[in-house]
Amino acid sequence: MLRRRKPAPEGGAETEKTAAQQPREPTGAAPSRERPGVRARMAAGGAGVIAAFGTGVARLIRLAVLVVVLILALAIAFKVLGASSHNTIVSAAHDGGKALAKPFNDMFKIDGAKATLALNWGIALLVYLVIGLAVARFVARLAAIRPVARRRRPVAQG
């Protein structure tokens, strides 16, 4: 930051100024305690923090949706392909899929247990994916909304 040089002690005359702006002429009104636009800059900074937080929340929602979809997809694949249920990974994926797709069990009944499970859990996968991504998009858009700046009333000078 550029500073003004102090006046010379002997003559009291001010030496050249190194600042880029010329000093303002004092007006009849008392100087404001804060610079113009400080509140607007502070509000914009706060909005930036809220936007960053909302974006982070939207990312976490997308990550949770991805994990849920991955668990359901693995459970469907393991069941349809006939993976051994004694394997720890297969058992964990099936247990997680069963818990996540519980509201969708017995929605449709078709020939074969594997096909019924694949259809019902596939519907659960699509529902979680669509609703989860819609919620994430909604949260991200809420975070992008900027607050409307309030107009300051002109101060009556007397």
Side-chain angles (χ1 to χ4, degrees), residues 4 23 25 62 78 100 112 116 152:
R4 295 184 188 143
E25 298 285 326
R62 285 187 198 109
F78 288 152
L100 291 169
T116 301
R152 298 175 81 184

PDB file of all heavy atoms in Angstrom, residues 4 23 25 62 78 100 112 116 152:
ATOM      1  N   ARG A   4       1.531   8.304   2.156  1.00  0.00           N
ATOM      2  CA  ARG A   4       1.955   9.686   1.916  1.00  0.00           C
ATOM      3  C   ARG A   4       3.161   9.982   2.795  1.00  0.00           C
ATOM      4  O   ARG A   4       3.271   9.491   3.917  1.00  0.00           O
ATOM      5  CB  ARG A   4       0.824  10.648   2.287  1.00  0.00           C
ATOM      6  CG  ARG A   4      -0.373  10.485   1.414  1.00  0.00           C
ATOM      7  CD  ARG A   4      -1.403  11.529   1.764  1.00  0.00           C
ATOM      8  NE  ARG A   4      -2.622  11.224   1.029  1.00  0.00           N
ATOM      9  CZ  ARG A   4      -3.823  11.378   1.479  1.00  0.00           C
ATOM     10  NH1 ARG A   4      -4.004  11.861   2.686  1.00  0.00           N
ATOM     11  NH2 ARG A   4      -4.851  11.086   0.750  1.00  0.00           N
ATOM     12  N   PRO A  23      -6.248  13.726  -2.273  1.00  0.00           N
ATOM     13  CA  PRO A  23      -7.120  13.771  -1.102  1.00  0.00           C
ATOM     14  C   PRO A  23      -8.429  14.479  -1.450  1.00  0.00           C
ATOM     15  O   PRO A  23      -8.466  15.394  -2.259  1.00  0.00           O
ATOM     16  CB  PRO A  23      -6.320  14.559  -0.070  1.00  0.00           C
ATOM     17  CG  PRO A  23      -5.279  15.269  -0.838  1.00  0.00           C
ATOM     18  CD  PRO A  23      -5.026  14.484  -2.092  1.00  0.00           C
ATOM     19  N   GLU A  25     -11.759  16.773  -0.897  1.00  0.00           N
ATOM     20  CA  GLU A  25     -12.089  18.026  -0.227  1.00  0.00           C
ATOM     21  C   GLU A  25     -13.145  17.733   0.830  1.00  0.00           C
ATOM     22  O   GLU A  25     -14.108  17.017   0.571  1.00  0.00           O
ATOM     23  CB  GLU A  25     -12.661  19.038  -1.245  1.00  0.00           C
ATOM     24  CG  GLU A  25     -11.687  19.420  -2.336  1.00  0.00           C
ATOM     25  CD  GLU A  25     -10.608  20.362  -1.827  1.00  0.00           C
ATOM     26  OE1 GLU A  25     -10.918  21.182  -0.957  1.00  0.00           O
ATOM     27  OE2 GLU A  25      -9.476  20.243  -2.297  1.00  0.00           O
ATOM     28  N   ARG A  62     -24.930 -36.138  -3.027  1.00  0.00           N
ATOM     29  CA  ARG A  62     -24.600 -36.919  -4.229  1.00  0.00           C
ATOM     30  C   ARG A  62     -23.740 -38.134  -3.883  1.00  0.00           C
ATOM     31  O   ARG A  62     -23.924 -39.214  -4.448  1.00  0.00           O
ATOM     32  CB  ARG A  62     -23.876 -36.047  -5.243  1.00  0.00           C
ATOM     33  CG  ARG A  62     -24.780 -35.083  -5.957  1.00  0.00           C
ATOM     34  CD  ARG A  62     -24.043 -34.359  -7.084  1.00  0.00           C
ATOM     35  NE  ARG A  62     -24.769 -33.184  -7.451  1.00  0.00           N
ATOM     36  CZ  ARG A  62     -24.383 -31.941  -7.189  1.00  0.00           C
ATOM     37  NH1 ARG A  62     -23.247 -31.711  -6.578  1.00  0.00           N
ATOM     38  NH2 ARG A  62     -25.123 -30.913  -7.551  1.00  0.00           N
ATOM     39  N   PHE A  78     -24.762 -59.539  -7.738  1.00  0.00           N
ATOM     40  CA  PHE A  78     -24.335 -60.755  -7.039  1.00  0.00           C
ATOM     41  C   PHE A  78     -25.447 -61.792  -7.005  1.00  0.00           C
ATOM     42  O   PHE A  78     -25.201 -62.987  -7.164  1.00  0.00           O
ATOM     43  CB  PHE A  78     -23.880 -60.436  -5.614  1.00  0.00           C
ATOM     44  CG  PHE A  78     -22.563 -59.703  -5.526  1.00  0.00           C
ATOM     45  CD1 PHE A  78     -22.298 -58.869  -4.460  1.00  0.00           C
ATOM     46  CD2 PHE A  78     -21.587 -59.848  -6.492  1.00  0.00           C
ATOM     47  CE1 PHE A  78     -21.095 -58.195  -4.356  1.00  0.00           C
ATOM     48  CE2 PHE A  78     -20.375 -59.189  -6.402  1.00  0.00           C
ATOM     49  CZ  PHE A  78     -20.129 -58.357  -5.327  1.00  0.00           C
ATOM     50  N   LEU A 100     -32.027 -51.481   2.202  1.00  0.00           N
ATOM     51  CA  LEU A 100     -32.360 -50.297   1.400  1.00  0.00           C
ATOM     52  C   LEU A 100     -33.607 -50.510   0.529  1.00  0.00           C
ATOM     53  O   LEU A 100     -34.358 -49.567   0.281  1.00  0.00           O
ATOM     54  CB  LEU A 100     -31.168 -49.915   0.511  1.00  0.00           C
ATOM     55  CG  LEU A 100     -29.950 -49.361   1.247  1.00  0.00           C
ATOM     56  CD1 LEU A 100     -28.768 -49.268   0.300  1.00  0.00           C
ATOM     57  CD2 LEU A 100     -30.273 -48.011   1.839  1.00  0.00           C
ATOM     58  N   GLY A 112     -39.648 -66.609 -11.256  1.00  0.00           N
ATOM     59  CA  GLY A 112     -38.260 -66.696 -10.822  1.00  0.00           C
ATOM     60  C   GLY A 112     -37.947 -65.699  -9.720  1.00  0.00           C
ATOM     61  O   GLY A 112     -38.287 -64.515  -9.795  1.00  0.00           O
ATOM     62  N   THR A 116     -37.510 -61.483  -9.919  1.00  0.00           N
ATOM     63  CA  THR A 116     -38.351 -60.641  -9.061  1.00  0.00           C
ATOM     64  C   THR A 116     -37.493 -59.703  -8.215  1.00  0.00           C
ATOM     65  O   THR A 116     -37.782 -58.506  -8.117  1.00  0.00           O
ATOM     66  CB  THR A 116     -39.227 -61.524  -8.142  1.00  0.00           C
ATOM     67  OG1 THR A 116     -40.038 -62.369  -8.952  1.00  0.00           O
ATOM     68  CG2 THR A 116     -40.102 -60.681  -7.252  1.00  0.00           C
ATOM     69  N   ARG A 152     -30.541   1.554   0.740  1.00  0.00           N
ATOM     70  CA  ARG A 152     -30.359   2.445   1.890  1.00  0.00           C
ATOM     71  C   ARG A 152     -31.142   3.709   1.656  1.00  0.00           C
ATOM     72  O   ARG A 152     -31.126   4.278   0.570  1.00  0.00           O
ATOM     73  CB  ARG A 152     -28.885   2.754   2.078  1.00  0.00           C
ATOM     74  CG  ARG A 152     -28.086   1.487   2.377  1.00  0.00           C
ATOM     75  CD  ARG A 152     -26.647   1.790   2.441  1.00  0.00           C
ATOM     76  NE  ARG A 152     -26.350   2.323   3.752  1.00  0.00           N
ATOM     77  CZ  ARG A 152     -25.174   2.773   4.121  1.00  0.00           C
ATOM     78  NH1 ARG A 152     -24.171   2.746   3.272  1.00  0.00           N
ATOM     79  NH2 ARG A 152     -24.962   3.233   5.325  1.00  0.00           N
TER      80      ARG A 152
END
